[in-house]
Amino acid sequence: MIPGFRLFHFWFMVLLACGSWVDASEGLAGLYNQGNVGYRQGDYAGAIVAYEKVVGQGLQNGEVYYNLGNAYFKNEQLGLAILSYERALKLRPGDEDVLANLNFANAHRVDKETNDTPNFLTRVLSNLYDFWGINALSVFCLICVFGLGGALVCWMFLPTRRFIWVALLVVFGAGLLSNGVVLAMKVHQRGVVTAIVLEGQAIGRSGPGSDFLEVFVLHEGTKVFIERTEGRWFLVRLSNGVGGWIK
């Protein structure tokens, strides 16, 4: 189920975002606390207003988006709840609470995934992929590069233990290759434009116009991938590969 809001070291993250702007940090902290009070008292609409003002001030933080998603879900605004969780997940990849609530909210969508249920290995690999962010992968790649360099130097100048250095070369080389591949996939994924349907329903057509054949109907909360635009129309593709134009 959707838990309540989370309290974190908000002053610290506000100061990081605002530097020495004490007045601004006090204002953001006040709005954040106002949202927490509203959520605790069941005033979800008021909590949404407060959290949105925090985001509107330019503070991009996963905790705020997480609380915002909870408030939207409690306020029965499924599309905006899923959107907020998706944004929180981009800022906090691998966060178990965010993933759990996103999955819980997706279970309430009208449109269900038609893909086959993934096996155990696929689920494990998918969870590992979601857990590691670009920054962490970049650090691991650097560690592997330095490890490769150190092992190579030792192999050249300490020949009596070359078996150990060769083993380290293999380990760091494999680590660099695997982390590099995942990092490249993550970077490519960041360039993919995604969107969440916020209306009650959206009609997908075979072309960019209302006279084209209706291909599918999407409902609130469904995630799509935007491939290109033409005027006021978007060519979107679903996770199962089906594509269409939405106004």
Side-chain angles (χ1 to χ4, degrees):
M1 61 182 296
I2 301 294
F5 60 87
R6 295 197 295 194
L7 291 171
F8 286 84
H9 302 295
F10 189 75
W11 277 101
F12 177 70
M13 66 185 187
V14 167
L15 290 173
L16 285 179
C18 302
S20 60
W21 298 351
V22 177
D23 292 339
S25 65
E26 288 179 350
L28 288 173
L31 288 170
Y32 180 77
N33 292 331
Q34 179 182 333
N36 291 343
V37 171
Y39 188 96
R40 185 168 56 243
Q41 295 178 348
D43 180 13
Y44 304 122
I48 289 170
V49 171
Y51 292 141
E52 285 286 8
K53 286 182 178 179
V54 173
V55 174
Q57 293 291 327
L59 181 63
Q60 299 294 305
N61 183 272
E63 318 304 345
V64 178
Y65 278 121
Y66 173 82
N67 286 357
L68 182 59
N70 290 341
Y72 272 127
F73 187 87
K74 291 289 190 178
N75 206 44
E76 299 182 354
Q77 294 174 269
L78 181 62
L80 287 167
I82 292 175
L83 176 63
S84 300
Y85 290 140
E86 289 279 0
R87 288 173 170 169
L89 195 60
K90 284 183 178 295
L91 295 167
R92 295 186 60 84
D95 188 295
E96 293 183 359
D97 288 337
V98 177
L99 284 170
N101 283 16
L102 177 59
N103 291 333
F104 186 80
N106 278 324
H108 288 73
R109 292 189 289 110
V110 174
D111 302 324
K112 305 297 182 182
E113 300 293 340
T114 57
N115 298 335
D116 295 333
T117 302
N119 56 38
F120 175 77
L121 179 60
T122 301
R123 292 198 302 272
V124 170
L125 293 176
S126 178
N127 290 334
L128 287 174
Y129 179 82
D130 292 335
F131 182 80
W132 297 109
I134 289 180
N135 293 336
L137 289 170
S138 299
V139 171
F140 287 141
C141 285
L142 286 175
I143 292 174
C144 290
V145 168
F146 285 116
L148 274 173
L152 182 60
V153 170
C154 291
W155 178 81
M156 294 173 61
F157 294 101
L158 297 174
T160 58
R161 297 185 178 182
R162 281 190 171 178
F163 176 78
I164 297 177
W165 312 135
V166 170
L168 289 176
L169 283 171
V170 172
V171 170
F172 285 118
L176 180 61
L177 179 61
S178 58
N179 279 286
V181 169
V182 177
L183 179 61
M185 293 172 61
K186 288 277 189 177
V187 172
H188 172 73
Q189 185 183 43
R190 176 174 283 186
V192 176
V193 181
T194 59
I196 303 296
V197 177
L198 301 182
E199 296 293 328
Q201 68 175 27
I203 299 175
R205 299 187 179 276
S206 59
S210 301
D211 297 332
F212 285 90
L213 179 68
E214 180 178 319
V215 179
F216 53 72
V217 177
L218 301 179
H219 299 83
E220 183 181 10
T222 300
K223 183 178 182 178
V224 298
F225 303 89
I226 300 178
E227 295 191 345
R228 72 174 190 268
T229 62
E230 187 170 321
R232 297 179 61 191
W233 291 82
F234 292 89
L235 176 59
V236 305
R237 195 161 300 280
L238 307 180
S239 59
N240 59 10
V242 176
W245 291 85
I246 294 180
K247 189 173 183 179

